[in-house]
Amino acid sequence: MLTRLSIRNIVLIEALDLEFRGGLGVLTGETGAGKSILLDALGLVLGDRAETALVRAGEDKASVTASFVFPALPAGIAETLDDAGIEIEPGEPLLIRRQVKADGGSKAFVNDQSASVALLRALAPALVELHGQHDDRGLVNPRGHRELLDRYAGTDLAALAAAWRDWAKAEAQLAEARAEVEQAKADEDLLTAHLAELDALTPEVGEEERLAAQRIDLQKGERLSGELEELRHIWEGSDSPLASLRVAARKLDRIAEEHPLLAEALAALDRAVIEAGEAEETLERAAEALVHDPAALEAAETRLFDLRALARKHRCEVDELPALMEEMRRKLAAIEGGEAELGALERAATEARAAYLAAADAAHEARAKAAARLDKAVAAELAPLKLDAARFRTAITGLPEDKWGALGRDAVEFLIATNPGADFAPLAKIASGGELSRFILALKVALAEKGGAATIIFDEIDRGVGGAVASAIGERLARLASDEGQLLAVTHSPQVAARGGQHYLIAKASSGTVTKTSVVLLGAEGRQEEIARMLSGAEVTPEARAQADRLLEGV
C-alpha cells in the first residue's frame, strides 16, 4: 500500500510530505483547494505524461516520490522488477521517484535506480487503482474485465494456458513437418537425378587421394619407360654385371681355401652378388609400379576429373560425396515416409486441440456461473446507491478462432443500463460521471474479496448525491477498505468523510501574489470542525458541529 507521498514544486504545492495508513482515508477541502493536484502528482509516479505546466512557477524542476510497502511483494510486481533488472529485498519499501523539468523532459527512478516511464506504467496497475469522474482505465476498460471475472470465479487459468501451449506446440510441429514434406516433394525430381549421377560414380572416401597418387605414378612411368628398359637390358643376359659377378664368385670359391685374403675376397663378392640381386628385384618392382599404361592413365584421370567436377557442382569436397549420397537417400526416404509421420502429427494436433477446447469450455462454464453470481451481487448494491432503475450484466461472448489464446475463447465486458427499457451499454458510455463512480463502487464491493491493486482511490464518488445515498457510499467505502488494503476517497460528502480512519484537509492560502496548497492530517477536533463546515458551508454553526458529532459517533 501507499505509505508516503513527498511532493516538491508541483503547481501550488511547494513542499509536502504525507504519510498514509491502511483502511479508509478521506481527503476534503473547498472546491479549488488543490485536490486534483495531489492526484496529478501521484499520476506522475504511475507513469502519466509529464506536463511542464505541473512545475511550480519560478522553479526549474519538480519531483514526486511515493513509497509502497507490501507484506509480501506481489508476483506481478516482482516479475516486472526482475525483468527490468531491479532488485528489492524482502520487506524493503518500493520507492518510485519522478522528476519533471520546467524546460521539458523527465526522469524516473525505482529504488534509486534509473527506470523508464514504461516501467512505471507496467507497475501502476498493481499499485494504485484510480476511479474518477473521467476514468478511462481500471474497471471501465473492458480489457481488464475478463481478468476480474476470472479472479472472482477462480478460473483454472494454469490448466487452460498449459492446454493452449500444448496445442500451439503440436500445431507448430505439424506445420514444420508439412513444410518439410512439401519442400522435399518439390525437390524430389532434382534429388532423384542427383542421386542417379552419384550412384553412377559411387564415390568412396579417400578415393581422390588414391587416384591422384596413381595418376602421378603413371605419368612418371610414361616419362621413365626408356631408362627402365635400358636398365633391364643391362641386368639381363649371360654377359650382365650380375652374371659376371656370379661367375667370378664360383671361380673364387674353388681357390678361397688357399689363402685368408681369398676367403675375404669371396665373402665380399658374395655380399655384392646378394646386393646386386636385391637391386635387380627392386628395379623389377619399380618397373612394375611405373609401368607405362596409357589406358590406365586415361581411366584414372577421367574418374578423378569426374569426381572433382561433381564435387564442384555440389559445392563440397570429393570425400564428402558419399555422405551427400546418404543425405539424398534419407530425404527421398522421408518423402515416402512423410505421409505416415504427418498422420501421427495430425492426430496429436487434433487431440491437443480437443484438450484445449475442453479446458476452454471448463473456463467458460466457470465464468458463466461466476457472472451470474456477480450480476446478482452488483444488483444488490445498486438500490442503496440510488441506482434503483439501473441494471448490470456481465456479457460473455465467443471470440473468433484467430483470437483464441492462453486465456480461452471468451471476451468479457461489464455492461449497464441506467434506465428501464434502455439497452445495455459499456460502462464508459453511461451519461453521468456520478453514476459511473457509483457503479464502479458497487462492482468493487462485489469483487472486494477477489484482489486488486494495493491502493484504491475514488475521486468525488459522491458528486451529486447526499443524505442516505451518501451514507450508503460511505458505508461501502469503509467496508471495501481493510487493514490489509487501502482506500483513499476525495470527497465533498460529510457522511463519507465521517467514515474515514484518516482525514486530510486540503487548503489553499494566498500571501500577496503567492498562492500555496497545503495538506494536513486532522485530529479529532479538526475532523469535527471540517465535517461541520461541509454540513453548513462558510459559517460553521453549533448545529453543524452537533450534527458532525452525530455522524462521527455513528460510524
Side-chain angles (χ1 to χ4, degrees), residues 198-220:
L198 286 165
D199 278 335
L201 282 179
T202 58
E204 299 176 1
V205 176
E207 186 176 9
E208 180 187 25
E209 183 179 0
R210 186 170 65 253
L211 286 172
Q214 182 183 1
R215 175 172 174 255
I216 290 172
D217 288 343
L218 289 171
Q219 288 174 332
K220 288 179 180 178

Side-chain angles (χ1 to χ4, degrees), residues 2-52:
L2 176 66
T3 57
R4 186 177 179 85
L5 184 66
S6 298
I7 303 172
R8 299 292 184 270
N9 299 321
I10 295 289
V11 193
L12 300 179
I13 299 175
E14 184 177 20
L16 182 63
D17 294 293
L18 293 175
E19 293 186 358
F20 300 94
R21 298 194 301 268
L24 176 61
V26 295
L27 297 92
T28 66
E30 295 182 355
T31 301
K35 295 185 289 293
S36 63
I37 299 174
L38 286 176
L39 298 180
D40 289 341
L42 184 59
L44 283 176
V45 297
L46 299 177
D48 286 356
R49 183 176 178 181
E51 300 283 356
T52 56

Side-chain angles (χ1 to χ4, degrees), residues 59-79:
E59 302 293 337
D60 59 350
K61 65 180 179 180
S63 68
V64 182
T65 303
S67 175
F68 297 88
V69 173
F70 306 92
L73 197 64
I77 293 178
E79 292 172 2

Side-chain angles (χ1 to χ4, degrees), residues 399-421:
L399 292 168
E401 186 166 343
D402 62 340
K403 299 294 184 181
W404 295 357
L407 296 176
R409 302 185 292 158
D410 298 325
V412 177
E413 186 170 9
F414 300 143
L415 303 176
I416 60 171
T418 55
N419 299 303

Side-chain angles (χ1 to χ4, degrees), residues 180-432:
E180 288 178 356
V181 169
E182 288 175 3
Q183 183 62 45
K185 285 183 176 179
D187 295 341
E188 184 175 11
D189 291 342
L190 186 61
L191 280 172
T192 302
H194 285 168
L195 186 58
E197 196 174 31
L198 286 165
D199 278 335
L201 282 179
T202 58
E204 299 176 1
V205 176
E207 186 176 9
E208 180 187 25
E209 183 179 0
R210 186 170 65 253
L211 286 172
Q214 182 183 1
R215 175 172 174 255
I216 290 172
D217 288 343
L218 289 171
Q219 288 174 332
K220 288 179 180 178
E222 182 181 23
R223 188 177 67 250
L224 298 175
S225 59
E227 286 82 354
L228 290 172
E229 186 62 28
E230 291 179 5
L231 284 170
R232 185 180 296 108
H233 286 304
I234 292 173
W235 287 99
E236 290 178 352
S238 58
D239 56 349
S240 67
L242 181 57
S244 299
L245 284 174
R246 287 171 177 162
V247 171
R250 286 195 297 272
K251 289 182 178 182
L252 187 56
D253 183 55
R254 290 194 293 268
I255 61 174
E257 294 179 357
E258 302 296 332
H259 194 278
L261 291 176
L262 292 176
E264 289 180 18
L266 177 60
L269 191 58
D270 285 341
R271 289 195 300 273
V273 170
I274 292 171
E275 290 181 0
E278 292 175 352
E280 184 181 31
E281 292 176 0
T282 302
L283 283 172
E284 288 176 357
R285 290 198 304 271
E288 291 175 0
L290 295 174
V291 65
H292 173 47
D293 185 347
L297 176 61
E298 182 180 1
E301 287 183 336
T302 298
R303 183 165 179 80
L304 180 63
F305 295 158
D306 287 346
L307 289 171
R308 287 176 174 174
L310 204 53
R312 285 194 300 272
K313 180 177 181 178
H314 293 285
R315 297 181 181 180
C316 66
E317 299 296 328
V318 172
D319 281 351
E320 295 173 354
L321 290 175
L324 181 63
M325 288 175 62
E326 292 305 315
E327 177 65 20
M328 289 181 179
R329 289 192 182 103
R330 281 194 296 271
K331 287 182 177 180
L332 287 171
I335 296 173
E336 297 174 1
E339 294 299 330
E341 182 183 359
L342 281 181
L345 291 173
E346 285 171 352
R347 288 190 296 275
T350 300
E351 291 172 1
R353 175 188 170 91
Y356 170 74
L357 292 177
D361 288 343
H364 176 80
E365 184 176 353
R367 288 166 179 158
K369 290 180 179 178
R373 296 196 308 271
L374 181 60
D375 292 353
K376 185 177 180 180
V378 173
E381 298 293 331
L382 296 181
L385 296 175
K386 202 179 178 179
L387 294 168
D388 322 52
R391 292 167 294 151
F392 175 86
R393 186 176 74 190
T394 303
I396 303 175
T397 56
L399 292 168
E401 186 166 343
D402 62 340
K403 299 294 184 181
W404 295 357
L407 296 176
R409 302 185 292 158
D410 298 325
V412 177
E413 186 170 9
F414 300 143
L415 303 176
I416 60 171
T418 55
N419 299 303
D423 292 334
F424 281 92
L427 283 172
K429 293 186 178 180
I430 65 172
S432 166

Side-chain angles (χ1 to χ4, degrees), residues 469-489:
V469 176
S471 295
I473 291 174
E475 187 273 328
R476 280 155 178 77
L477 289 174
R479 192 199 317 169
L480 190 56
S482 67
D483 291 336
E484 293 78 16
Q486 182 182 54
L487 192 148
L488 302 175

